[in-house]
Amino acid sequence: MSLVVVGSIGIDNIETPTAKKENLLGGSAVYFAYAAGFFTKVEMVGVVGKDFPAEYRVLMQKNNVDLAGLEVADGQTFRWSGKYHEDINNRDTLEVQLNVLGSFDPKVPEAYKNRDFLFLANAVPAVQHNVLKQMKKRPKFVAMDTMNLWIEIARKDLDALLLEVDMLVLNDGEARQYTDERELLKAGRAILKKGPKIVIIKKGEHGALVISAEGNFSIPAYPLEVVADPTGAGDTFAGAIMGYMTAANAVDRNTLRRAVAYGSVVASFTCEDFSLGKLEKISRKEIDARFKELLDLAHIPA
Amino acid sequence: MSLVVVGSIGIDNIETPTAKKENLLGGSAVYFAYAAGFFTKVEMVGVVGKDFPAEYRVLMQKNNVDLAGLEVADGQTFRWSGKYHEDINNRDTLEVQLNVLGSFDPKVPEAYKNRDFLFLANAVPAVQHNVLKQMKKRPKFVAMDTMNLWIEIARKDLDALLLEVDMLVLNDGEARQYTDERELLKAGRAILKKGPKIVIIKKGEHGALVISAEGNFSIPAYPLEVVADPTGAGDTFAGAIMGYMTAANAVDRNTLRRAVAYGSVVASFTCEDFSLGKLEKISRKEIDARFKELLDLAHIPA
């Protein structure tokens, strides 16, 4: 089985309270795809400029990511600069240069169009929808992420897209903003009424809450002594979830729960270094070991 | 088995974004004892003024709380007024009248002095220590709570007391303040070095993290659609934990985990109404039913 993802590919400059790094590989599709690549073959649809470093292609390919859907457009790659606060759970965006992403018109390669698992990583809802429409048949499972900006300026498009997806992944602030509900349980239930069968609300260092008609599920974050850089944690969380489900070729309750636990594990590794720094150093073996630790961390003896 | 608790007993005025209530029964020992009373006999040491309503005594006694250690002093009962923000996880203290609590000199009844389980609910560390010293033998298990004020103005006394307790329960902000560590895992480990074998860090709506040499444990909060008033949630969390452990007469890893899960359940009920409003309406049966729901909520299929 393989998994198709569309989303942003970027070059990031990131400042944390303890370090400052430039020209890092980033973007929602990149983080997602690299994480999913630990579990299954991933096919990435996205755009970069002619300046995109060849070594970043190699890095992705080495972890199971197919780049046939990676378009190289005239111009510069999308760039993002951010600065984290003393409390590393908060950050400010310092600069965004959309560059080639600004006119991104995704073209799904023919070979990808009959895939069963599709993830629409954070992007303009109309662009996400466009990709879904290019699929030859409706995939077995479609999931998506979004962000505060689209809830603000493209709510109608977001509502229309939500009617067609199985699962929405978003963070707690976004869930509250989208529904005007303070309590996440209420926010999640309000989103279920908009279409998806499953809502995953990311809570950063507090883990995530999964809300569905089949029952709710709470997953803790794997506790870390040091968080170097949380950029991409949410995207790798989603990537591991979808990667695990694709490999299992299943979307049932128990598969979803295990997938979300793997998501929490991979997201924790992401936080331990900048960009894909830590993920590059680990394999499925380290992920499985931490998955076992997470099982124990969350275990209530009946 | 019975459980001894010392702490504050008060009359609260509480304002939330949706309601305002006056002359409510409150105080750390009250919330703790009432919650523990669902599991075991509780013996409460505290002080009230002559104005303390007789019906509040009856209420406590009906839920297994022995009041032989309740001193009635000349003057008024301790009073606290607080106002919750639009985000109900934050509040401001509007007024504190210490009244008889200001000169509280706890006297542990003879019959209580050989008990095996002791909880020092939030109070001046010197007062907490004084109670521990009055015990005839060192109890099998001593636990305590504290607050930001004592970390600020009585850190030395707190450090001295911590050397003699088995378990500290405190909230995330307090853990960070006490240790100067942002990450809770690091903060918890720093506190373990100060004496306790177990640290429970309360995270409000995000549940709690238990840190000990026997392994860490993360418990979610039971998700609620509506939080009416979170006052006392942390005290009832601790009360259910200690009540469960006392009834089990055990402090092993699995008992602790089950106890913490019961703590999360009882705290969730507390949040559903002002004061003991919701707890008065439930019995062990409703608690056990929600405990089962929490087991399912946190279950990762291996």
Side-chain angles (χ1 to χ4, degrees):
Chain A
M1 299 297 293
S2 61
L3 163 64
V4 177
V5 58
V6 61
S8 64
I9 300 160
I11 305 290
D12 294 344
N13 294 332
I14 294 172
E15 199 177 335
T16 68
T18 51
K20 191 173 174 172
K21 305 260 182 179
E22 300 197 329
N23 298 314
L24 300 165
L25 178 57
S28 61
V30 164
Y31 278 111
F32 178 95
Y34 198 92
F38 287 112
F39 304 90
T40 194
K41 189 182 166 197
V42 192
E43 297 168 330
M44 190 165 84
V45 176
V47 65
V48 293
K50 294 201 187 295
D51 59 335
F52 191 69
E55 75 234 44
Y56 287 165
R57 285 177 170 269
V58 175
L59 179 64
M60 299 299 290
Q61 286 166 327
K62 274 202 329 214
N63 211 45
N64 239 343
V65 181
D66 181 279
L67 300 179
L70 179 64
E71 182 190 339
V72 182
D74 272 335
Q76 301 280 305
T77 303
F78 167 61
R79 285 189 160 266
W80 178 80
S81 300
K83 184 178 176 172
Y84 285 88
H85 298 192
E86 202 50 54
D87 174 351
I88 203 152
N89 294 286
N90 296 305
R91 73 181 184 198
D92 297 319
T93 290
L94 299 181
E95 196 188 6
V96 173
Q97 296 175 17
L98 280 179
N99 299 332
V100 298
L101 192 65
S103 52
F104 179 39
D105 181 21
K107 288 162 218 58
V108 180
E110 280 305 307
Y112 295 5
K113 288 185 180 171
N114 63 349
R115 303 307 188 208
D116 282 334
F117 290 84
L118 171 65
F119 190 77
L120 310 169
N122 181 31
V124 189
V127 166
Q128 293 176 308
H129 213 145
N130 176 353
V131 168
L132 179 57
K133 283 175 185 157
Q134 289 180 50
M135 301 302 280
K136 272 191 196 142
K137 58 174 179 63
R138 206 275 182 186
K140 182 171 169 175
F141 195 76
V142 180
M144 62 176 282
D145 196 347
T146 191
M147 74 183 289
N148 52 358
L149 181 64
W150 315 127
I151 296 170
E152 269 167 47
I153 69 169
R155 183 181 284 259
K156 225 174 130 182
D157 291 349
L158 194 57
D159 285 345
L161 178 57
L162 267 186
L163 290 171
E164 302 195 36
V165 306
D166 300 293
M167 182 168 91
L168 173 65
V169 183
L170 78 181
N171 74 34
D172 43 8
E174 292 156 358
R176 290 182 176 121
Q177 181 195 3
Y178 195 19
T179 61
D180 252 326
E181 295 288 357
R182 206 267 151 212
E183 297 308 325
L184 296 180
L185 182 59
K186 246 180 159 169
R189 285 177 175 164
I191 293 170
L192 288 185
K193 288 185 186 149
K194 290 171 175 284
K197 293 185 287 287
I198 302 163
V199 178
I200 303 184
I201 302 178
K202 297 176 284 184
K203 306 193 293 174
E205 62 172 329
H206 301 297
L209 182 63
V210 181
I211 295 170
S212 81
E214 287 194 321
N216 307 323
F217 173 50
S218 178
I219 186 85
Y222 178 86
L224 294 173
E225 285 221 350
V226 179
V227 173
D229 172 19
T231 309
D235 297 311
T236 54
F237 172 71
I241 293 171
M242 289 293 288
Y244 184 87
M245 291 174 86
T246 304
N249 191 18
V251 299
D252 63 284
R253 180 178 178 284
N254 280 358
T255 303
L256 174 66
R257 286 186 173 217
R258 274 183 218 112
V260 170
Y262 271 107
S264 183
V265 164
V266 175
S268 74
F269 282 117
T270 305
C271 293
E272 291 186 68
D273 199 349
F274 285 80
S275 186
L276 298 170
K278 180 74 180 192
L279 295 186
E280 283 178 58
K281 292 191 187 75
I282 61 167
S283 65
R284 182 66 189 265
K285 194 181 145 200
E286 284 79 17
I287 292 171
D288 284 342
R290 192 171 282 188
F291 177 81
K292 285 208 182 90
E293 283 188 70
L294 192 70
L295 282 183
D296 182 65
L297 181 80
H299 180 62
I300 310 172
Chain B
M1 300 296 294
S2 61
L3 163 65
V4 177
V5 58
V6 60
S8 64
I9 300 161
I11 306 288
D12 293 344
N13 294 333
I14 293 172
E15 199 177 333
T16 68
T18 52
K20 191 173 173 172
K21 305 261 183 180
E22 298 197 330
N23 298 314
L24 299 166
L25 177 57
S28 62
V30 164
Y31 278 112
F32 178 95
Y34 197 92
F38 286 111
F39 303 91
T40 193
K41 190 182 167 198
V42 192
E43 296 168 332
M44 190 166 84
V45 176
V47 64
V48 295
K50 293 198 189 297
D51 59 335
F52 191 69
E55 76 235 43
Y56 287 164
R57 286 178 170 269
V58 176
L59 178 65
M60 300 298 290
Q61 285 166 327
K62 276 201 330 216
N63 211 45
N64 240 341
V65 182
D66 181 280
L67 299 179
L70 179 64
E71 182 190 341
V72 182
D74 274 334
Q76 301 281 305
T77 303
F78 166 61
R79 283 187 162 268
W80 178 80
S81 300
K83 183 177 176 173
Y84 285 87
H85 297 192
E86 201 51 51
D87 175 352
I88 203 151
N89 294 287
N90 296 304
R91 74 184 184 197
D92 296 319
T93 289
L94 299 181
E95 197 187 5
V96 173
Q97 296 175 16
L98 279 180
N99 298 331
V100 298
L101 192 64
S103 52
F104 179 39
D105 182 21
K107 289 163 217 56
V108 180
E110 280 306 307
Y112 295 4
K113 289 184 179 170
N114 63 350
R115 302 306 188 210
D116 281 334
F117 289 84
L118 171 65
F119 190 77
L120 310 169
N122 181 31
V124 189
V127 167
Q128 292 176 309
H129 214 146
N130 175 354
V131 168
L132 179 55
K133 283 176 186 156
Q134 289 180 52
M135 301 302 280
K136 270 190 196 142
K137 58 172 181 59
R138 206 275 183 186
K140 181 170 167 175
F141 195 76
V142 180
M144 63 175 284
D145 196 347
T146 191
M147 73 184 289
N148 51 358
L149 182 64
W150 315 128
I151 296 170
E152 269 166 47
I153 70 170
R155 183 181 283 257
K156 225 175 132 180
D157 290 351
L158 193 57
D159 284 345
L161 178 56
L162 267 187
L163 290 171
E164 301 195 36
V165 306
D166 299 294
M167 182 168 90
L168 173 65
V169 183
L170 80 178
N171 72 35
D172 43 8
E174 292 156 359
R176 291 184 175 121
Q177 180 193 7
Y178 195 19
T179 61
D180 253 326
E181 295 288 356
R182 204 270 151 209
E183 297 308 324
L184 296 179
L185 182 60
K186 245 178 159 171
R189 286 177 175 164
I191 293 170
L192 288 184
K193 288 187 185 149
K194 290 170 175 285
K197 291 187 288 286
I198 303 163
V199 178
I200 303 185
I201 302 178
K202 298 177 283 184
K203 305 192 294 174
E205 62 172 329
H206 301 297
L209 183 63
V210 182
I211 294 169
S212 82
E214 287 194 320
N216 307 324
F217 173 50
S218 177
I219 186 84
Y222 178 86
L224 294 172
E225 284 223 350
V226 179
V227 172
D229 172 18
T231 309
D235 298 312
T236 54
F237 173 72
I241 293 171
M242 289 293 289
Y244 184 87
M245 291 174 87
T246 304
N249 190 19
V251 300
D252 62 282
R253 180 180 179 283
N254 281 357
T255 303
L256 173 66
R257 287 186 171 215
R258 274 184 218 110
V260 170
Y262 271 107
S264 182
V265 163
V266 175
S268 74
F269 282 117
T270 305
C271 294
E272 291 187 68
D273 200 350
F274 285 81
S275 186
L276 298 170
K278 179 75 180 190
L279 295 187
E280 284 178 57
K281 291 191 188 77
I282 61 165
S283 66
R284 181 65 189 265
K285 194 180 143 202
E286 284 80 16
I287 292 170
D288 284 342
R290 193 170 281 188
F291 176 80
K292 284 207 182 90
E293 283 187 70
L294 192 70
L295 281 184
D296 182 64
L297 182 80
H299 179 63
I300 309 171

